[in-house]
Amino acid sequence: METKLNHEIRTVLEKFDSKYFIDGIINKNQVIRDLDQYDAELVAEILTNEELKKRFTLNVAGATVIKVNDFIEVFEQDEYWQDSYTKYSKKIGLTINGKFLDETSEVVLDFPYKDTVLKASMSKEDNDKSDLKPDEPFLNEVIAQDEIDTLLDKKILVNAKRYTKDGVEELDTFNEDNLILKGNNLLALHSLKEHFTEKVKLIYIDPPYNTGSDSFQYNDRFNHSAWLTFMKNRLEIAYNLLAEDGSIWINIDDDESHYLKVLADGIFGRDNFLANIIWKKKYSPQNDARYFSDMHDHILVYSKNLPFFSINGLPRTEKMNSRYTNKDNDPRGPWKPGDLSVRTYNPKDDYPIELPSGRVVYPPSGRSWRTSEKKLKELISENRIWFGETGDNVPAVKRFLTDVKQTVTPQTIWDYSEVGHNQQAIQGLNKLFGENVFGTPKPELLLQRIITIGTNKEDIVLDFFMGSATTQAVAMKMNRRFIGIEQMDYINTVSVTRLQKVIEGEQGGISKDVNWQGGGSFIYAELMEKNTGFIKEIINAQNMIELQVIFKRMMETADFDFRVNLTEIQKDDLWQQSLDDQKRILIKVIDKNQLYYNYSEIDDENVRDLISDNDYAFNKSFYADRGE
């Protein structure tokens, strides 16, 4: 629904023919540039429009002054113009020599504001309920270090409880147990940094792929440059949390994998890049695919510091060991024959060998035996040479299974037959819950291989896009410590519930392979919501009456953007706007650097009353002696 203000602005812009339109769609950036430069013709037309003159001018000493900044603010409002050619006036991302991608033919990866932070409210559910949230999530709206410090300061944790085989118990201390946090993952990661910096051995993440079309229950539809900023913020704090001998594994598809590789090179260092693993995630092609059937994901692997990193080999498979037999009942166990000749020719080792059958053989043309004639006699006496069951075969060296390295060097192509596929993961989760509860889980076999390669028992594994808690479930079954972060509400109905089932001894996934019998425990806590709660209420409001009730409570307790004049908002025609515009305005004016309560506020009188004694004690324990 077009508001009266929208209509009047469009009427003015249409007087300039195509100057402010591209294919009939408003070019918002051009409008803002001309307003910022006080373009004489544009200002003159604004002043001739009585509605715009009334709203955007004031009289000073008999002169009419246009409030350009107020007018620009209208265009900078998130998705105020639903059909705007450029929805976001503050562009971040791909530039060359200071010009953005749409202004040049050459590309580099650049972040013009070094402190830009994407908090990213990632709920796709928000978008489904209304058109309030832009595809690009919230930016840190003030590029100022003190604001960012406030944003990234450690947060108060509430609803702390511990899950064990005996049930759930309230908690007043942090005892280094496994940890699950509910809340925005960027802010939760920064709440961990004082305690867990350089302590995490392995990070696995399966972030939003930025496809806009899959079933992943985050808001996948990030603007490309915004998505890169979103990832940059999180990878930077992830780097700090990694131990010197740690590694990070990033699951991604083709849409952003190559840009992500360049971004990760800059954060972790190209010298620390270990591998781009190709995981064949589907067992059958998509015949309805328009061009190609997407069959694989990438897993980008980086070490924190390559000289300190050591990799664990994979255990040998039964198939590998089945190649070893014991045809002559050798007491040293199974063996398989190996070629006695080598390609490197040595005349001294080109000699005849008489077989037990009496036949004489020589090495193949151009080759020689791999050992001297004297050494060969020793090997024969030790029963290490095999001449076949009839004694007439070309001699072969017996290679015993006990002499073989018991681990295998990991390769970079992983087939679903080895580590599972997407459908298998979905079926396993459905069986566990008795219904379809999560659309895109990863198979436990995949995480088992990753955790085997990158960790040892008791090491800490972190996944801050927790989803259905596959990483945490596998870590628990493999006797690793874990940290999980998730902000979606299914953390309580899917993620935590799944881990409770693991503690009880569920036998899905890798349970039988590792002889899992249950046990273990974890601590759950939530970042204490502040303005986040108001934003959720605004989005879910059904009518103006509900919004007015919310706004009244906001006026009592919410934090507003310091640039907002609350008096003007109340005097303005806020309640004459459409419901969606009312919501947009209220979301815009709230301070999104205050989504959660900072730990520094825990002893404030108004805050302390909101926290239980157990949660208060838990926070003091969790943050004890860590920079206070």
Side-chain angles (χ1 to χ4, degrees):
M1 175 180 175
E2 186 177 53
T3 65
K4 183 177 182 181
L5 177 60
N6 289 67
H7 175 76
E8 295 300 327
I9 293 176
R10 182 179 290 275
T11 299
V12 167
L13 298 180
E14 287 175 344
K15 293 182 178 180
F16 296 90
D17 297 325
S18 62
K19 181 178 181 180
Y20 297 114
F21 294 86
I22 298 177
D23 296 330
I25 299 175
I26 292 175
N27 183 353
K28 189 172 69 174
N29 279 347
Q30 183 63 48
V31 178
I32 292 173
R33 281 195 293 269
D34 284 358
L35 284 170
D36 195 49
Q37 296 171 11
Y38 289 86
D39 180 272
E41 293 180 352
L42 180 57
V43 171
E45 287 297 336
I46 292 172
L47 294 177
T48 61
N49 184 290
E50 290 301 317
E51 179 66 19
L52 300 185
K53 183 178 179 180
K54 180 176 69 175
R55 292 181 61 109
F56 297 106
T57 65
L58 52 83
N59 188 283
V60 178
T64 300
V65 178
I66 185 169
K67 297 188 286 186
V68 170
N69 288 338
D70 289 2
F71 208 161
I72 290 175
E73 182 74 6
V74 171
F75 281 86
E76 290 185 335
Q77 185 168 299
D78 290 334
E79 295 222 329
Y80 193 97
W81 297 93
Q82 296 181 16
D83 59 350
S84 171
Y85 182 75
T86 305
K87 293 182 180 179
Y88 309 108
S89 58
K90 297 181 179 66
K91 294 192 289 185
I92 301 168
L94 301 176
T95 72
I96 180 69
N97 294 329
K99 293 185 177 181
F100 286 93
L101 178 60
D102 57 359
E103 301 169 342
T104 182
S105 60
E106 297 178 278
V107 181
V108 295
L109 194 60
D110 184 30
F111 296 88
Y113 305 114
K114 67 180 179 65
D115 292 325
T116 298
V117 175
L118 265 174
K119 292 185 292 295
S121 177
M122 294 181 291
S123 170
K124 179 180 281 188
E125 295 157 0
D126 294 344
N127 280 328
D128 290 343
K129 290 187 177 179
S130 68
D131 192 29
L132 299 177
K133 292 288 188 70
D135 291 344
E136 176 181 354
F138 289 126
L139 290 171
N140 183 41
E141 296 177 350
V142 181
I143 310 299
Q145 191 57 53
D146 58 344
E147 294 289 328
I148 293 173
D149 289 344
T150 298
L151 169 67
L152 301 181
D153 197 9
K154 54 195 177 186
K155 308 305 178 189
I156 296 175
L157 304 175
V158 294
N159 297 328
K161 58 193 77 171
R162 187 167 182 256
Y163 291 78
T164 70
K165 206 164 188 176
D166 297 326
V168 185
E169 60 187 19
E170 289 190 354
L171 207 60
D172 59 8
T173 57
F174 178 65
N175 60 359
E176 307 298 327
D177 203 342
N178 299 312
L179 179 64
I180 300 297
L181 293 180
K182 181 185 180 185
N184 179 283
N185 61 3
L186 177 64
L187 307 187
L189 286 170
H190 279 274
S191 296
L192 297 175
K193 61 189 175 186
E194 291 182 16
H195 186 39
F196 290 98
T197 290
E198 298 187 350
K199 291 184 179 180
V200 176
K201 186 63 177 292
L202 183 145
I203 297 174
Y204 168 83
I205 55 172
D206 181 26
Y209 287 2
N210 200 22
T211 61
S213 60
D214 63 28
S215 60
F216 195 55
Q217 290 189 50
Y218 285 90
N219 178 8
D220 241 0
R221 301 181 61 191
F222 294 142
N223 170 279
H224 172 66
S225 59
W227 185 87
L228 287 170
T229 305
F230 164 85
M231 291 301 300
K232 175 177 180 285
N233 300 149
R234 285 149 181 79
L235 292 180
E236 285 172 337
I237 180 61
Y239 176 86
N240 292 334
L241 295 175
L242 268 182
E244 283 296 297
D245 59 349
S247 60
I248 183 169
W249 305 61
I250 312 171
N251 208 126
I252 198 72
D253 72 357
D254 283 331
D255 286 278
E256 294 286 3
S257 63
H258 301 84
Y259 286 99
L260 181 61
K261 170 67 166 62
V262 175
L263 177 65
D265 280 348
I267 295 171
F268 295 94
R270 291 187 67 183
D271 292 343
N272 289 315
F273 174 69
L274 294 173
N276 176 18
I277 294 168
I278 303 300
W279 166 43
K280 188 177 179 182
K281 62 183 179 181
K282 298 177 182 176
Y283 65 91
S284 62
Q286 294 175 267
N287 293 323
D288 60 347
R290 185 174 182 183
Y291 300 114
F292 292 89
S293 177
D294 175 20
M295 301 295 292
H296 72 277
D297 270 358
H298 301 264
I299 303 177
L300 302 179
V301 189
Y302 286 84
S303 64
K304 170 70 173 284
N305 194 335
L306 191 58
F308 293 93
F309 180 74
S310 62
I311 195 167
N312 294 327
L314 297 171
R316 294 179 59 83
T317 65
E318 290 185 8
K319 183 178 180 180
M320 292 175 181
N321 292 341
S322 67
R323 300 177 185 134
Y324 292 78
T325 60
N326 197 347
K327 298 176 182 179
D328 60 351
N329 295 317
D330 194 307
R332 288 164 291 195
W335 54 270
K336 72 175 183 178
D339 196 345
L340 186 62
S341 69
V342 292
R343 292 181 180 178
T344 305
Y345 183 74
N346 184 344
K348 292 190 302 181
D349 296 330
D350 186 356
Y351 53 87
I353 298 177
E354 183 178 351
L355 306 180
S357 66
R359 185 164 66 93
V360 176
V361 296
Y362 289 85
S365 177
R367 300 170 71 98
S368 59
W369 302 120
R370 67 171 57 247
T371 186
S372 67
E373 193 168 6
K374 179 182 178 181
K375 181 64 176 177
L376 178 65
K377 291 178 180 179
E378 293 177 7
L379 293 174
I380 292 173
S381 67
E382 295 172 358
N383 191 25
R384 290 182 177 273
I385 300 297
W386 174 247
F387 294 101
E389 294 180 3
T390 63
D392 193 49
N393 287 3
V394 174
V397 178
K398 292 169 71 173
R399 303 193 183 282
F400 292 93
L401 180 59
T402 53
D403 296 332
V404 175
K405 180 182 175 183
Q406 293 305 299
T407 58
V408 180
T409 301
Q411 301 181 26
T412 57
I413 297 181
W414 296 0
D415 192 79
Y416 66 80
S417 61
E418 302 170 327
V419 296
H421 52 71
N422 282 343
Q423 196 61 32
Q424 181 182 15
I426 293 172
Q427 292 169 354
L429 203 59
N430 290 353
K431 183 178 180 181
L432 186 63
F433 281 86
E435 60 178 323
N436 188 353
V437 294
F438 193 80
T440 57
K442 292 296 180 284
E444 289 195 12
L445 283 171
L446 176 69
L447 271 299
Q448 181 187 30
R449 174 170 287 193
I450 290 171
I451 292 173
T452 296
I453 294 171
T455 69
N456 298 306
K457 290 183 179 180
E458 300 301 323
D459 284 339
I460 299 177
V461 177
L462 165 64
D463 182 348
F464 50 88
F465 292 97
M466 182 175 169
S468 63
T470 301
T471 304
Q472 290 72 28
V474 173
M476 186 178 289
K477 294 176 183 180
M478 295 178 67
N479 296 313
R480 271 66 168 177
R481 295 173 59 197
F482 62 78
I483 303 172
I485 302 172
E486 179 57 64
Q487 76 172 33
M488 300 292 288
D489 287 339
Y490 59 65
I491 187 175
N492 291 306
T493 58
V494 179
S495 316
V496 168
T497 303
R498 178 180 186 176
L499 294 179
Q500 287 178 281
K501 293 177 183 293
V502 173
I503 290 174
E504 293 165 1
E506 60 88 358
Q507 291 299 296
I510 67 167
S511 292
K512 291 182 173 61
D513 291 342
V514 299
N515 192 30
W516 178 249
Q517 300 299 317
S521 62
F522 65 91
I523 291 171
Y524 169 90
E526 301 172 357
L527 275 63
M528 184 179 178
E529 291 185 345
K530 195 174 187 181
N531 284 345
T532 300
F534 283 118
I535 291 174
K536 289 180 179 178
E537 290 184 38
I538 292 169
I539 291 169
N540 293 325
Q542 299 298 310
N543 52 56
M544 183 180 69
I545 302 301
E546 289 184 19
L547 276 183
Q548 289 175 331
V549 172
I550 295 168
F551 183 60
K552 182 178 179 181
R553 287 191 290 104
M554 286 170 60
M555 293 294 294
E556 296 171 353
T557 61
D559 290 283
F560 291 90
D561 189 310
F562 71 89
R563 297 166 293 181
V564 173
N565 187 324
L566 294 177
T567 303
E568 289 297 321
I569 288 179
Q570 296 177 82
K571 290 194 318 185
D572 206 355
D573 60 351
L574 168 64
W575 306 115
Q576 304 302 315
Q577 308 279 340
S578 68
L579 181 64
D580 279 356
D581 282 343
Q582 291 170 8
K583 291 184 177 184
R584 288 191 185 94
I585 292 170
L586 292 184
I587 289 174
K588 184 174 182 62
V589 301
I590 203 165
D591 185 354
K592 289 174 283 296
N593 284 346
Q594 301 289 339
L595 295 178
Y596 302 93
Y597 283 96
N598 284 351
Y599 177 67
S600 60
E601 304 173 81
I602 195 167
D603 288 314
D604 292 354
E605 182 177 349
N606 293 334
V607 178
R608 177 64 184 88
D609 291 342
L610 302 174
I611 306 170
S612 70
D613 291 341
N614 277 341
D615 281 338
Y616 181 84
F618 178 81
N619 278 270
K620 290 296 183 179
S621 171
F622 187 81
Y623 292 118
D625 300 321
R626 299 179 186 104
E628 291 188 286

